[in-house]
């Protein structure tokens, strides 16, 4: 099973984790609400898991342009 980390804003692939058995606890998923989980975690057609996070570039952009948060839903 592979987990692909992608930026939810720019869709950049940030990293890939390949594991036979994924311990979701080690990924911190239990700290997410069900809503966050639905939003952040998606299952790809080949059985891979796509995790939507935020990359450093977008994080920086958001920090310098807080109003971008309001645009979040338009970008998805
Ligand atoms: Zn990004």
């Amino acid at each position: 099973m592979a987990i692909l980390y992608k930026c939810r804003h720019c869709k950049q692939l940030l990293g890939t984790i390949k594991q036979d058995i994924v311990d979701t606890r080690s990924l911190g998923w239990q700290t997410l609400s069900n809503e966050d989980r639905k939003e952040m975690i998606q299952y790809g057609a080949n059985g891979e898991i796509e995790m939507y996070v935020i990359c450093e570039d977008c994080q920086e952009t958001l920090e310098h342009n807080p109003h971008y948060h309001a645009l979040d839903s338009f970008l998805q």
Side-chain angles (χ1 to χ4, degrees):
M1 194 195 305
I3 301 175
L4 310 177
Y5 279 85
K6 290 181 179 180
C7 177
R8 66 163 81 186
H9 297 284
C10 63
K11 312 295 184 214
Q12 183 186 177
L13 181 65
L14 303 173
T16 310
I17 300 175
K18 282 202 175 115
Q19 280 179 336
D20 288 335
I21 297 167
V22 177
D23 182 358
T24 54
R25 279 171 306 173
S26 70
L27 300 171
W29 289 5
Q30 80 280 7
T31 63
L32 300 171
S33 68
N34 282 338
E35 209 164 285
D36 281 346
R37 238 182 283 197
K38 247 186 271 170
E39 199 170 284
M40 289 178 64
I41 303 168
Q42 292 180 14
Y43 295 89
N46 301 317
E48 75 275 15
I49 298 171
E50 296 179 344
M51 279 282 290
Y52 285 91
V53 293
I54 186 163
C55 72
E56 279 178 27
D57 290 344
C58 291
Q59 178 80 53
E60 209 163 289
T61 306
L62 288 172
E63 271 168 17
H64 291 106
N65 304 278
H67 61 277
Y68 267 38
H69 271 299
L71 296 173
D72 209 17
S73 54
F74 292 101
L75 294 174
Q76 287 181 353

